[in-house]
Amino acid sequence: TFKLVIAGGGSTYTPGIVKSLLVQKDRFKLNELVLYDNNAERQEAVGVIVRHVVEMFDPELKLTLTTDPEVAMTDADFIFAQMRVGLYAMREQDEKIPLKYGVVGQETCGPGGLAYGLRTIYPMVELIDYCEKYAKPTYWIVNYSNPAAIVAKATFRLRPKARILNICDMPVAIERNMAEILECDRHDLEVDYFGLNHFGWFTKVRLNGEDVTEKLKSYVAEHGYMPQNAKSDVLHSDPSWLHTYENAKNICSAFHDYLPNTYMQYYLLGDEVVKSSDPNHTRANEVMEGREKRIFDAVADYRAGKDVDLTKFFGGVHGEFIVDVAMSLAFDLRKRYLVMVENNGAVENLPSDAMVEVPAYITDRGPEPVRVGEIPTFYKGLIEQQEAVEKLIVDAAVEHSYEKALMAFTLSKTVPSLLVAKKILDDMIVANKAYWPEL
Ligand code: G6P
């Protein structure tokens, strides 16, 4: 049996993860589940829903809510990390500051992602240090914390021996849509893929061994990743997300080689994305007014004794995926998933220290990446540029270097010039005073 900690326990994603864990309780038995967060109030609120999940699926389970890292991590086997440093108020800044200068405003891509990266690197390192100090020596951190590409790069550089596996739910969310399009179970799909996190391409998709890549490519070129008869719970259902899934069709009809991760729109169609963005009302506002409000209002009603259906707040591929990965680590299942690993030749013509996202077999010693081979010039060029951006922002944090940060901002494909990069960076320094390492 395992002690499992969710770091970022106050996230509204927590109930979904807990449900995915507890439906596996016969195979993945927990002796204790800990929610750990530095924001006690938020965590208590989310804890109301989590208690409900526990009562439904595993009423005997010991559930602990704490803000104390020692209590949380002592003898932990698994730590699921999903911290959001600065919460949605800072996500709003990450999105709005670039948009003010006509640049893509997004939580993980472009200047917003770099700002978020600078906020997150050291709190993630601190989390690793707590695990090293208090958790079992065989601990595994499975990390969702964004911006995952920068977090992966920074943690590997600063804590190379840490037992951390960085993952992302976007590829598997796209696979879920592919499965809807093909009218099959997503577990029957196997994909080949290369790139960085939120920056990659599916090169092959097989359904029970049969190559369905061409079929999907022609579908996506016409409809994007929008299944025609989507089940209501299949998509991120907000309009901005539908737009994201749709935009894939422009990329797919321009370049016929591969199926893009939807995040490629920010790099290849940045001008289009900016045109359809509202600089005064971004995704952060949608989330704060939508998902966050719905959940915290429901908790308030529940606490006030009203009749509330809390079950609609847990479910989805996000929770399922992290549990699948953890089970493969725990039981040496060697399941094949897309995860972030140090390149080391997995993509032959990319730097060996790049943190790439590729398929890997997940064993109890960690991921065994599949060797992807060489990739063509266009993709290699794009990835090398983005990889250098991520490297420079980690350098900026470690060396306290304004110049390195400016280089990162300038090199981002989303930013048109040095002067624009400087304006965005200077605004961001002010906005992030409470969070960034000094530059
Ligand atoms: C996807 C990505 C995550 C990202 C999330 C944002 O799931 O894989 O990296 O954090 O979308 O979703 P939201 O609903 O908060 O905009």
Side-chain angles (χ1 to χ4, degrees):
T1 64
F2 302 106
K3 174 175 174 180
L4 190 142
V5 182
I6 301 185
S11 163
T12 52
Y13 285 105
T14 301
I17 294 178
V18 174
K19 183 201 163 187
S20 299
L21 276 168
L22 301 189
V23 295
Q24 297 287 355
K25 68 169 194 251
D26 295 333
R27 295 170 64 204
F28 193 60
K29 184 78 191 142
L30 302 184
N31 53 48
E32 186 179 0
L33 173 65
V34 182
L35 305 190
Y36 166 62
D37 205 300
N38 59 5
N39 185 331
E41 197 190 333
R42 223 187 124 95
Q43 177 160 271
E44 281 300 331
V46 169
V48 168
I49 308 179
V50 171
R51 278 198 194 92
H52 193 71
V53 181
V54 171
E55 272 157 30
M56 277 177 76
F57 294 96
D58 193 3
E60 306 293 300
L61 177 66
K62 178 176 177 199
L63 173 67
T64 308
L65 272 61
T66 183
T67 56
D68 179 337
E70 183 171 356
V71 172
M73 303 305 170
T74 298
D75 293 330
D77 297 281
F78 281 94
I79 300 90
F80 288 180
Q82 45 158 3
M83 60 172 76
R84 180 180 285 283
V85 182
L87 290 170
Y88 287 90
M90 288 309 297
R91 177 176 178 178
E92 187 180 7
Q93 297 298 315
D94 295 342
E95 294 168 349
K96 286 187 177 172
I97 293 172
L99 276 173
K100 204 164 99 187
Y101 299 101
V103 170
V104 167
Q106 215 280 328
E107 64 162 344
T108 63
C109 300
L114 298 177
Y116 192 11
L118 283 177
R119 290 202 299 280
T120 311
I121 290 173
Y122 284 104
M124 274 304 298
V125 167
E126 184 183 52
L127 180 74
I128 291 174
D129 290 346
Y130 288 141
C131 294
E132 289 280 331
K133 187 161 172 200
Y134 300 122
K136 290 208 184 120
T138 51
Y139 78 86
W140 273 109
I141 301 172
V142 191
N143 180 50
Y144 260 149
S145 308
N146 264 329
I150 294 169
V151 167
K153 196 144 189 71
T155 52
F156 189 74
R157 168 143 166 217
L158 296 169
R159 295 294 183 270
K161 295 205 163 62
R163 294 169 62 87
I164 178 168
L165 180 57
N166 294 286
I167 64 167
C168 172
D169 69 341
M170 198 62 203
V172 76
I174 296 172
E175 287 172 36
R176 170 201 57 190
N177 284 21
M178 289 175 175
E180 276 285 312
I181 290 164
L182 297 165
E183 297 179 3
C184 68
D185 186 327
R186 77 176 164 85
H187 298 97
D188 294 334
L189 294 177
E190 185 185 85
V191 302
D192 293 342
Y193 185 97
F194 69 79
L196 310 169
N197 177 241
H198 285 185
F199 201 103
W201 291 267
F202 295 88
T203 56
K204 276 265 180 299
V205 184
R206 289 173 291 273
L207 168 57
N208 291 322
E210 184 202 341
D211 187 344
V212 290
T213 321
E214 293 307 320
K215 194 170 162 185
L216 275 170
K217 279 197 308 206
S218 42
Y219 182 94
V220 175
E222 205 178 329
H223 307 286
Y225 290 109
M226 303 274 283
Q228 293 200 304
N229 304 307
K231 289 196 200 123
S232 57
D233 63 346
V234 162
L235 293 161
H236 289 77
S237 50
D238 314 294
S240 52
W241 269 106
L242 300 184
H243 178 78
T244 300
Y245 285 119
E246 253 215 4
N247 241 346
K249 72 179 171 205
N250 295 315
I251 302 174
C252 221
S253 56
F255 306 115
H256 298 88
D257 295 338
Y258 309 130
L259 289 147
N261 188 304
T262 49
Y263 279 85
M264 291 314 301
Q265 69 174 326
Y266 299 112
Y267 301 96
L268 300 177
L269 303 166
D271 50 354
E272 290 297 313
V273 172
V274 170
K275 258 192 258 163
S276 63
S277 305
D278 177 350
N280 299 312
H281 196 266
T282 60
R283 180 71 195 151
N285 299 109
E286 284 183 15
V287 175
M288 287 188 279
E289 293 155 14
R291 180 172 71 225
E292 293 268 302
K293 182 168 184 323
R294 271 196 308 277
I295 293 183
F296 291 111
D297 283 355
V299 168
D301 286 349
Y302 184 84
R303 280 172 163 160
K306 292 190 196 153
D307 191 18
V308 196
D309 176 18
L310 295 179
T311 56
K312 58 173 182 269
F313 300 120
F314 39 94
V317 79
H318 177 275
E320 287 166 23
F321 182 57
I322 195 168
V323 174
D324 283 346
V325 170
M327 283 174 57
S328 204
L329 284 169
F331 305 123
D332 200 26
L333 300 179
R334 308 188 62 86
K335 291 269 179 81
R336 179 180 166 127
Y337 298 118
L338 296 183
V339 297
M340 281 158 254
V341 290
E342 197 199 9
N343 184 31
N344 267 334
V347 184
E348 214 173 299
N349 50 349
L350 285 179
S352 60
D353 65 345
M355 289 301 286
V356 292
E357 193 167 68
V358 290
Y361 293 91
I362 309 299
T363 78
D364 59 1
R365 280 152 291 112
E368 285 179 7
V370 166
R371 296 185 81 82
V372 171
E374 289 208 1
I375 58 171
T377 310
F378 177 65
Y379 305 92
K380 176 172 179 281
L382 285 169
I383 292 175
E384 281 176 341
Q385 179 181 22
Q386 178 63 16
E387 207 272 328
V389 169
E390 289 162 6
K391 182 170 191 309
L392 285 164
I393 205 69
V394 177
D395 287 346
V398 174
E399 298 166 20
H400 298 279
S401 166
Y402 176 89
E403 200 172 301
K404 289 279 170 71
L406 184 58
M407 286 175 175
F409 277 61
T410 307
L411 190 59
S412 174
K413 187 162 165 51
T414 59
V415 176
S417 85
L418 167 62
L419 293 183
V420 173
K422 188 166 181 347
K423 284 183 193 153
I424 297 175
L425 175 59
D426 289 347
D427 280 10
M428 281 182 159
I429 289 176
V430 176
N432 282 278
K433 222 172 33 236
Y435 298 99
W436 277 8
E438 203 175 319
L439 295 183

